[in-house]
Amino acid sequence: AFAASSVAEAINVPVDTTSGRLLEVMAKRPTIVQRVEQGRSTGYLILALGGIGIAVGLYRIGVQLRVARRVRSQLRKVEQPAKDNPLGRVILAATGKTDGGTKDNAEQLQSKLDEAICREVPQLEKGCKVLKLLAAVSPMLGLLGTIIGLIATFQGMGAFGGVDPAVMASGIAQALVTTLLGLVVAVPLLFMHAFLSAGAGAMVQTLEERSAGLLASSLSKVPAQHDPGVD
């Protein structure tokens, strides 16, 4: 290659200035499973909580998307309320079709609408608090693992009376890996919580808007009362 090249042509030749130590370090680089094992019990606990949170989040996202699709379908058929969606149940409660009673006055109608919406809100926001809790706990557990790893490092240094890289490596690895796992778990949980909160808020707003429309329609149908004191 050198003989075939011209004088003006530059040739890049890789040179290992570490005398082979770099290749040895890269060969001993731990895998993802080994990294997780370095987190020990705290790391496994973080991953377990993350798995639970992601399972809950994916399930609630699926449920919320299905409910949102039914609410959109109900908006196109407001005159035909159905019990399989929150908006339909609110409309049924307002019109009194569920009880078969007579039409209520404006105050009673407003009370029934508020009660119907209050029954729907917990179902729409279900799972959000769990995701918020797990997203907040995961980094704290990562910090706990960091402290445990640092304590183990200093205890090893005190027991051997000096700085032994082999002793320090285990504790420092645990300290860093648990912090990493806590952040990796918290980020997707926060995104899921934000998505579910936004979707639930949008549907609650739709229920309140439709309730206000039903109340205004009911008030417009109330006949004006004649005041006997006015001729």
CSV table of all heavy atoms in Angstrom, one decimal, residues 35 38 40 145-177:
chain,number,residue,atom,x,y,z
A,35,ARG,N,-24.7,-4.7,33.4
A,35,ARG,CA,-24.9,-3.4,33.9
A,35,ARG,C,-26.1,-3.4,34.9
A,35,ARG,O,-26.0,-2.8,36.0
A,35,ARG,CB,-25.2,-2.4,32.8
A,35,ARG,CG,-24.0,-2.1,32.0
A,35,ARG,CD,-23.0,-1.3,32.7
A,35,ARG,NE,-21.9,-0.8,31.8
A,35,ARG,CZ,-20.8,-0.2,32.2
A,35,ARG,NH1,-20.6,0.0,33.5
A,35,ARG,NH2,-19.9,0.2,31.3
A,38,GLN,N,-25.2,-5.0,38.1
A,38,GLN,CA,-24.3,-4.1,39.0
A,38,GLN,C,-25.2,-3.2,39.9
A,38,GLN,O,-24.7,-2.8,41.0
A,38,GLN,CB,-23.4,-3.2,38.1
A,38,GLN,CG,-22.3,-4.0,37.5
A,38,GLN,CD,-21.5,-3.1,36.5
A,38,GLN,OE1,-21.9,-2.0,36.2
A,38,GLN,NE2,-20.4,-3.6,36.1
A,40,ARG,N,-27.7,-4.3,41.5
A,40,ARG,CA,-28.1,-5.1,42.7
A,40,ARG,C,-29.6,-5.0,43.0
A,40,ARG,O,-30.4,-4.8,42.1
A,40,ARG,CB,-27.2,-4.9,43.9
A,40,ARG,CG,-25.7,-5.1,43.6
A,40,ARG,CD,-24.8,-4.9,44.8
A,40,ARG,NE,-23.4,-5.1,44.5
A,40,ARG,CZ,-22.5,-5.0,45.3
A,40,ARG,NH1,-22.7,-4.6,46.6
A,40,ARG,NH2,-21.2,-5.2,44.9
A,145,GLY,N,-29.9,4.0,45.7
A,145,GLY,CA,-28.8,3.1,45.3
A,145,GLY,C,-27.5,3.8,45.2
A,145,GLY,O,-26.4,3.2,45.4
A,146,THR,N,-27.5,5.1,44.7
A,146,THR,CA,-26.2,5.8,44.7
A,146,THR,C,-25.6,6.0,46.0
A,146,THR,O,-24.3,5.7,46.2
A,146,THR,CB,-26.5,7.2,44.1
A,146,THR,OG1,-27.0,7.0,42.8
A,146,THR,CG2,-25.2,8.0,44.0
A,147,ILE,N,-26.4,6.3,47.0
A,147,ILE,CA,-25.8,6.4,48.4
A,147,ILE,C,-25.3,5.1,48.9
A,147,ILE,O,-24.2,5.0,49.5
A,147,ILE,CB,-26.9,7.0,49.3
A,147,ILE,CG1,-27.3,8.4,48.9
A,147,ILE,CG2,-26.4,7.0,50.8
A,147,ILE,CD1,-28.4,9.0,49.6
A,148,ILE,N,-26.1,4.0,48.6
A,148,ILE,CA,-25.6,2.7,49.1
A,148,ILE,C,-24.3,2.3,48.4
A,148,ILE,O,-23.4,1.8,49.1
A,148,ILE,CB,-26.7,1.6,48.8
A,148,ILE,CG1,-27.9,1.9,49.6
A,148,ILE,CG2,-26.2,0.2,49.0
A,148,ILE,CD1,-29.1,1.0,49.3
A,149,GLY,N,-24.2,2.6,47.1
A,149,GLY,CA,-22.9,2.3,46.4
A,149,GLY,C,-21.8,3.1,46.9
A,149,GLY,O,-20.6,2.5,47.1
A,150,LEU,N,-22.0,4.4,47.2
A,150,LEU,CA,-20.9,5.2,47.8
A,150,LEU,C,-20.5,4.7,49.2
A,150,LEU,O,-19.3,4.7,49.5
A,150,LEU,CB,-21.3,6.6,47.8
A,150,LEU,CG,-21.5,7.3,46.5
A,150,LEU,CD1,-22.0,8.7,46.7
A,150,LEU,CD2,-20.2,7.3,45.7
A,151,ILE,N,-21.5,4.3,50.0
A,151,ILE,CA,-21.1,3.8,51.3
A,151,ILE,C,-20.3,2.5,51.2
A,151,ILE,O,-19.3,2.3,51.9
A,151,ILE,CB,-22.4,3.5,52.1
A,151,ILE,CG1,-23.1,4.8,52.5
A,151,ILE,CG2,-22.1,2.7,53.4
A,151,ILE,CD1,-24.5,4.7,53.1
A,152,ALA,N,-20.7,1.6,50.3
A,152,ALA,CA,-19.9,0.4,50.1
A,152,ALA,C,-18.5,0.7,49.6
A,152,ALA,O,-17.5,0.0,50.0
A,152,ALA,CB,-20.6,-0.5,49.1
A,153,THR,N,-18.4,1.7,48.8
A,153,THR,CA,-17.0,2.1,48.3
A,153,THR,C,-16.1,2.6,49.4
A,153,THR,O,-15.0,2.2,49.6
A,153,THR,CB,-17.2,3.2,47.2
A,153,THR,OG1,-17.9,2.7,46.1
A,153,THR,CG2,-15.8,3.6,46.7
A,154,PHE,N,-16.7,3.5,50.2
A,154,PHE,CA,-15.9,4.0,51.4
A,154,PHE,C,-15.6,2.9,52.4
A,154,PHE,O,-14.5,2.9,53.0
A,154,PHE,CB,-16.6,5.2,52.0
A,154,PHE,CG,-16.6,6.4,51.1
A,154,PHE,CD1,-17.8,7.0,50.8
A,154,PHE,CD2,-15.4,7.0,50.7
A,154,PHE,CE1,-17.8,8.1,50.0
A,154,PHE,CE2,-15.4,8.1,49.9
A,154,PHE,CZ,-16.6,8.7,49.5
A,155,GLN,N,-16.5,2.0,52.6
A,155,GLN,CA,-16.3,0.9,53.6
A,155,GLN,C,-15.2,0.0,53.0
A,155,GLN,O,-14.3,-0.4,53.8
A,155,GLN,CB,-17.5,0.1,53.8
A,155,GLN,CG,-18.6,0.8,54.6
A,155,GLN,CD,-19.8,0.0,54.8
A,155,GLN,OE1,-20.1,-1.0,54.0
A,155,GLN,NE2,-20.7,0.3,55.8
A,156,GLY,N,-15.1,-0.2,51.7
A,156,GLY,CA,-14.1,-1.0,51.2
A,156,GLY,C,-12.7,-0.3,51.3
A,156,GLY,O,-11.7,-1.0,51.6
A,157,MET,N,-12.7,1.0,51.1
A,157,MET,CA,-11.5,1.7,51.2
A,157,MET,C,-11.0,1.7,52.6
A,157,MET,O,-9.7,1.6,52.9
A,157,MET,CB,-11.7,3.2,50.7
A,157,MET,CG,-12.0,3.3,49.2
A,157,MET,SD,-12.5,5.0,48.8
A,157,MET,CE,-11.0,5.9,49.3
A,158,GLY,N,-11.9,1.8,53.6
A,158,GLY,CA,-11.4,1.8,55.0
A,158,GLY,C,-11.0,0.4,55.4
A,158,GLY,O,-10.0,0.3,56.2
A,159,ALA,N,-11.6,-0.7,54.8
A,159,ALA,CA,-11.2,-2.0,55.3
A,159,ALA,C,-9.9,-2.4,54.7
A,159,ALA,O,-9.1,-3.1,55.4
A,159,ALA,CB,-12.3,-3.0,54.8
A,160,PHE,N,-9.5,-2.0,53.5
A,160,PHE,CA,-8.2,-2.3,52.9
A,160,PHE,C,-7.2,-1.3,53.2
A,160,PHE,O,-6.0,-1.4,52.8
A,160,PHE,CB,-8.4,-2.5,51.4
A,160,PHE,CG,-9.1,-3.7,51.0
A,160,PHE,CD1,-10.5,-3.8,50.8
A,160,PHE,CD2,-8.4,-4.9,50.8
A,160,PHE,CE1,-11.2,-4.9,50.5
A,160,PHE,CE2,-9.1,-6.1,50.5
A,160,PHE,CZ,-10.5,-6.1,50.3
A,161,GLY,N,-7.5,-0.2,53.8
A,161,GLY,CA,-6.6,0.8,54.2
A,161,GLY,C,-5.9,1.6,53.0
A,161,GLY,O,-4.8,2.0,53.1
A,162,GLY,N,-6.6,1.7,51.9
A,162,GLY,CA,-6.1,2.4,50.8
A,162,GLY,C,-7.1,2.4,49.7
A,162,GLY,O,-8.3,2.0,49.8
A,163,VAL,N,-6.7,2.9,48.5
A,163,VAL,CA,-7.5,3.0,47.4
A,163,VAL,C,-7.2,1.8,46.4
A,163,VAL,O,-6.2,1.7,45.8
A,163,VAL,CB,-7.3,4.3,46.6
A,163,VAL,CG1,-8.2,4.4,45.4
A,163,VAL,CG2,-7.5,5.5,47.5
A,164,ASP,N,-8.1,0.8,46.4
A,164,ASP,CA,-8.0,-0.3,45.6
A,164,ASP,C,-9.0,-0.2,44.4
A,164,ASP,O,-10.2,-0.2,44.7
A,164,ASP,CB,-8.3,-1.6,46.4
A,164,ASP,CG,-8.0,-2.9,45.6
A,164,ASP,OD1,-7.7,-2.7,44.4
A,164,ASP,OD2,-8.1,-4.0,46.1
A,165,PRO,N,-8.6,-0.1,43.2
A,165,PRO,CA,-9.5,0.1,42.1
A,165,PRO,C,-10.5,-1.0,42.0
A,165,PRO,O,-11.7,-0.8,41.6
A,165,PRO,CB,-8.6,0.2,40.9
A,165,PRO,CG,-7.3,0.6,41.4
A,165,PRO,CD,-7.2,0.0,42.8
A,166,ALA,N,-10.1,-2.2,42.3
A,166,ALA,CA,-11.1,-3.3,42.2
A,166,ALA,C,-12.2,-3.2,43.2
A,166,ALA,O,-13.3,-3.6,43.0
A,166,ALA,CB,-10.3,-4.7,42.4
A,167,VAL,N,-11.8,-2.7,44.4
A,167,VAL,CA,-12.9,-2.6,45.5
A,167,VAL,C,-13.8,-1.4,45.1
A,167,VAL,O,-15.0,-1.4,45.3
A,167,VAL,CB,-12.2,-2.4,46.8
A,167,VAL,CG1,-13.2,-2.1,47.9
A,167,VAL,CG2,-11.4,-3.6,47.2
A,168,MET,N,-13.2,-0.3,44.6
A,168,MET,CA,-14.0,0.9,44.3
A,168,MET,C,-14.9,0.7,43.1
A,168,MET,O,-16.0,1.3,43.1
A,168,MET,CB,-13.0,2.1,44.0
A,168,MET,CG,-12.2,2.5,45.2
A,168,MET,SD,-11.1,3.9,44.8
A,168,MET,CE,-12.3,5.1,44.2
A,169,ALA,N,-14.5,-0.2,42.2
A,169,ALA,CA,-15.3,-0.3,41.0
A,169,ALA,C,-16.7,-0.8,41.2
A,169,ALA,O,-17.7,-0.3,40.6
A,169,ALA,CB,-14.6,-1.3,40.0
A,170,SER,N,-16.8,-1.8,42.2
A,170,SER,CA,-18.1,-2.4,42.4
A,170,SER,C,-19.1,-1.3,43.0
A,170,SER,O,-20.2,-1.2,42.6
A,170,SER,CB,-18.0,-3.6,43.4
A,170,SER,OG,-19.3,-4.1,43.7
A,171,GLY,N,-18.6,-0.6,44.0
A,171,GLY,CA,-19.5,0.4,44.6
A,171,GLY,C,-19.8,1.6,43.7
A,171,GLY,O,-21.0,2.0,43.7
A,172,ILE,N,-18.9,2.0,43.0
A,172,ILE,CA,-19.1,3.1,42.0
A,172,ILE,C,-20.1,2.7,40.9
A,172,ILE,O,-21.0,3.5,40.5
A,172,ILE,CB,-17.8,3.7,41.5
A,172,ILE,CG1,-17.0,4.3,42.6
A,172,ILE,CG2,-18.1,4.7,40.3
A,172,ILE,CD1,-15.6,4.8,42.1
A,173,ALA,N,-19.9,1.5,40.4
A,173,ALA,CA,-20.8,1.0,39.4
A,173,ALA,C,-22.3,0.9,39.9
A,173,ALA,O,-23.2,1.3,39.2
A,173,ALA,CB,-20.4,-0.4,39.0
A,174,GLN,N,-22.4,0.4,41.1
A,174,GLN,CA,-23.8,0.4,41.7
A,174,GLN,C,-24.3,1.8,41.9
A,174,GLN,O,-25.5,2.0,41.6
A,174,GLN,CB,-23.8,-0.3,43.1
A,174,GLN,CG,-25.2,-0.4,43.7
A,174,GLN,CD,-25.1,-1.1,45.1
A,174,GLN,OE1,-24.1,-1.4,45.6
A,174,GLN,NE2,-26.3,-1.2,45.7
A,175,ALA,N,-23.5,2.8,42.3
A,175,ALA,CA,-24.0,4.1,42.5
A,175,ALA,C,-24.4,4.7,41.1
A,175,ALA,O,-25.5,5.4,41.1
A,175,ALA,CB,-22.8,5.0,43.1
A,176,LEU,N,-23.7,4.5,40.1
A,176,LEU,CA,-24.0,5.1,38.8
A,176,LEU,C,-25.2,4.4,38.1
A,176,LEU,O,-26.0,5.0,37.5
A,176,LEU,CB,-22.8,5.2,37.9
A,176,LEU,CG,-21.6,6.0,38.4
A,176,LEU,CD1,-20.4,5.9,37.5
A,176,LEU,CD2,-22.0,7.4,38.6
A,177,VAL,N,-25.2,3.1,38.2
A,177,VAL,CA,-26.2,2.3,37.4
A,177,VAL,C,-27.6,2.5,38.0
A,177,VAL,O,-28.6,2.7,37.3
A,177,VAL,CB,-25.8,0.8,37.5
A,177,VAL,CG1,-27.0,-0.1,37.0
A,177,VAL,CG2,-24.6,0.5,36.6
